[in-house]
Amino acid sequence: MTAGTDVALRDQAAAVLRGNDAGGWTKASPLLYPHQWSWDSAFIAIGWAHLDVRRAMTELEQLFAAQWSTGMVPHIVFRAGRGARYFPGPEWWDCAAVTPAARGLPAQTTGICQPPVHALAVRRIWQLTPPPLRPAIRARIQALFPRLVHWHRYLATGRDPEASGLVTAYHPWEGTDNSPRWDRALARIEAPRPGPYTRLDTSELGDPAQRPTDWDYDRYLWLVELLREYRYDDEQIHRHYPFQIKDVFFSAVLVAANAALLDLAGVAGGGDGDRAEVAGWLDRGRAGLTRQFDAGSGLCADYDVRAGEQIRLRTFAGFAPLFARTADAGQRGAQLRLLDSADFCGNPRLRWPLLPSTSPAEPAFEPHNYWRGPVWPVIDWLLWQSLIELGCADRAAGLRRDSLAQVTGAGEFNEYFDPFTGAPLGSPRQSWTAAVVLDWAAPPP
Ligand code: 9WN
């Protein structure tokens, strides 16, 4: 890619972010996702940081303004108001009515959360802050820091009562909706009977085959009804609720984010108590992932708490030790070999050697369908960051080059891409795709 194409791509990516800017927060995408999403906002802030670090901080401040008193940062903040076309809207969650933890917030929210990319975003913002702006941005990071610690504490305790180091996910919407990782757990849910509903996503997109099925949606919505019945109370949920998965990808992001938070403690003047607590979560997270790592396959397995069974599928999540920047040379070597094997990036049918969401060798693989095969640029961005930190500069450079080629070739900043053809899929003008392209295409410092 020439310097000229980089500049053109950056301009196009910036135009996507500006087009989706709702004034202090950014729509995840103009058509399908008109509100503020949690982990989208973190990636989006990284994109904004290349245009204006102050705007980048505002994105996260707006998100954290909707943090629950438990520390949870909700997966959607319904900022666009009731007129916005998105299903399911706030009435399905009804959080403020059923739990005091969600009262007094500036907007309605959902009652679940997504992977904690936020500390990684704040660290990136700080790295990109020009010297004259440092005092002002440092002050804003100082103000946000306790909220970040509160968020991580919620994940390390409320979502891990066993102190296993692994986060319990409550819902497929906590990141990777229709990943085959959830299939067996969803199939076990008896008699889902959500109230009547009409989906909007399939008609907005035009091609239902790129989205979850109605079978999935029945279960997604039924789980929301159960969460509401349990008043989003973690103790009740752990006792009664049917869908509880130790999600190794979510847990790996928390490990990486705890390392970023420790770095930020230096910027924000975090006290010894905070540092010790965060370091403890970091160690526990690494140990938890090590227990889930299978040296034979080279993959890390999720664990279904209710069924008491490991979830051994070849998906991007199996690379949790890489996403967590594992210090273990054995794990790292096995994961790097697997990454470029025919099951993943070395598959000869791939258009680019990028990490697909599900291995083409898995029976559940579908090249067009959402988290069941397509390449998601944000996932490859996380992997790219990890490879840089692990000292795999050449492999990281390849991921960056191919990711940019994928977007340039498609001419679109879509949500996900067909791994075999590179065709753009899902929502067009997706903010987080534009954001990671801005980071990849940035001129070297
Ligand atoms: C449900 C916004 C979100 C992403 C998720 C992605 C998708 C929503 C949906 O879009 O999920 O949260 O309606 O399909 O799976 O990761 O945060 O971009």
Side-chain angles (χ1 to χ4, degrees):
M1 179 158 310
T2 65
T5 38
D6 265 6
V7 172
L9 197 63
R10 280 208 301 273
D11 288 350
Q12 288 162 20
V16 170
L17 273 199
R18 292 198 171 104
N20 294 343
D21 186 2
W25 64 276
T26 311
K27 291 178 224 165
S29 82
L31 290 179
L32 222 44
Y33 311 121
H35 299 284
Q36 187 174 28
W37 261 258
S38 171
W39 70 328
D40 296 62
S41 277
F43 288 108
I44 288 165
I46 292 169
W48 278 121
H50 288 279
L51 307 174
D52 178 355
V53 287
R54 292 161 297 196
R55 176 64 184 81
M57 283 304 295
T58 307
E59 186 76 29
L60 292 169
E61 289 159 355
Q62 292 281 308
L63 178 72
F64 275 80
Q67 182 173 31
W68 286 23
S69 65
T70 54
M72 189 186 77
V73 175
H75 115 280
I76 304 176
V77 184
F78 291 106
R79 288 204 177 274
R82 287 197 176 264
R85 280 176 64 78
Y86 180 73
F87 175 81
E91 61 287 352
W92 273 80
W93 299 88
D94 213 12
C95 296
V98 302
T99 171
R103 289 191 194 133
L105 303 176
Q108 290 177 290
T109 73
T110 61
I112 56 173
C113 58
Q114 290 182 317
V117 181
H118 316 88
L120 295 170
V122 176
R123 189 175 58 183
R124 191 83 185 104
I125 294 170
W126 180 247
Q127 286 164 351
L128 292 168
T129 301
L133 291 179
R134 287 212 183 126
I137 295 297
R138 183 193 291 276
R140 291 171 75 173
I141 292 176
Q142 272 165 356
L144 194 63
F145 185 78
R147 286 183 173 267
L148 285 164
V149 175
H150 194 26
W151 166 218
H152 288 203
R153 186 179 296 116
Y154 167 73
L155 294 172
T157 58
R159 289 303 188 100
D160 187 19
E162 313 85 354
S164 68
L166 300 171
V167 176
T168 303
Y170 293 166
H171 201 289
W173 282 332
E174 296 204 313
T176 61
D177 311 31
N178 75 343
S179 171
R181 299 154 74 201
W182 321 131
D183 287 359
R184 277 171 68 87
L186 289 177
R188 260 194 291 270
I189 293 171
E190 280 172 30
R193 40 181 190 281
Y197 66 93
T198 307
R199 290 175 66 174
L200 294 174
D201 57 323
T202 37
S203 46
E204 294 282 4
L205 204 61
D207 180 4
Q210 293 177 24
R211 296 280 307 172
T213 61
D214 289 346
W215 182 94
D216 293 311
Y217 259 70
D218 278 353
R219 281 153 186 81
Y220 297 167
L221 293 163
W222 179 234
L223 288 176
V224 171
E225 295 203 7
L226 291 179
L227 286 169
R228 201 174 60 216
E229 191 179 314
Y230 299 135
R231 300 180 177 276
Y232 305 102
D233 174 70
D234 294 295
E235 277 180 30
Q236 283 207 56
I237 292 167
H238 289 297
R239 266 203 301 276
H240 307 295
Y241 179 73
F243 186 95
Q244 297 183 48
I245 313 276
K246 291 291 182 190
D247 175 338
V248 290
F249 170 69
F250 200 128
S251 307
V253 174
L254 182 58
V255 168
N258 274 325
L261 202 54
L262 277 181
D263 291 346
L264 286 172
V267 181
D272 289 346
D274 280 345
R275 286 177 209 247
E277 206 181 0
V278 176
W281 300 331
L282 183 62
D283 290 345
R284 207 154 78 194
R286 286 190 175 132
L289 291 174
T290 295
R291 279 193 303 278
Q292 292 305 108
F293 179 70
D294 171 41
S297 64
L299 282 170
C300 199
D302 299 302
Y303 180 74
D304 184 326
V305 178
R306 298 303 280 189
E309 70 179 29
Q310 306 287 348
I311 304 175
R312 297 193 195 285
L313 286 178
R314 285 162 291 180
T315 73
F316 78 97
F319 292 97
L322 280 190
F323 287 113
R325 292 89 155 121
T326 177
D328 181 306
Q331 283 180 22
R332 208 165 52 223
Q335 292 240 294
L336 288 170
R337 279 191 297 282
L338 186 67
L339 182 68
D340 286 321
S341 75
D343 278 359
F344 287 97
C345 301
N347 186 290
R349 294 183 65 194
L350 293 191
R351 174 72 184 84
W352 312 103
L354 295 169
L355 180 60
S357 48
T358 297
S359 162
E362 255 322 309
F365 173 81
E366 293 175 60
H368 290 103
N369 190 342
Y370 214 36
W371 290 96
R372 300 177 86 85
V375 173
W376 288 67
V378 286
I379 299 296
D380 280 77
W381 184 91
L382 285 171
L383 181 62
W384 170 71
Q385 278 287 294
S386 297
L387 291 173
I388 292 174
E389 284 186 35
L390 290 170
C392 306
D394 290 349
R395 189 65 188 91
L399 265 191
R400 173 188 169 277
R401 183 193 59 230
D402 296 332
S403 294
L404 286 174
Q406 177 177 253
V407 173
T408 310
E412 302 282 349
F413 295 85
N414 274 54
E415 195 179 7
Y416 43 95
F417 294 81
D418 183 319
F420 293 154
T421 64
L425 300 170
S427 174
R429 284 172 284 145
Q430 184 82 8
S431 298
W432 66 4
T433 303
V436 295
V437 167
L438 278 168
D439 204 40
W440 275 321

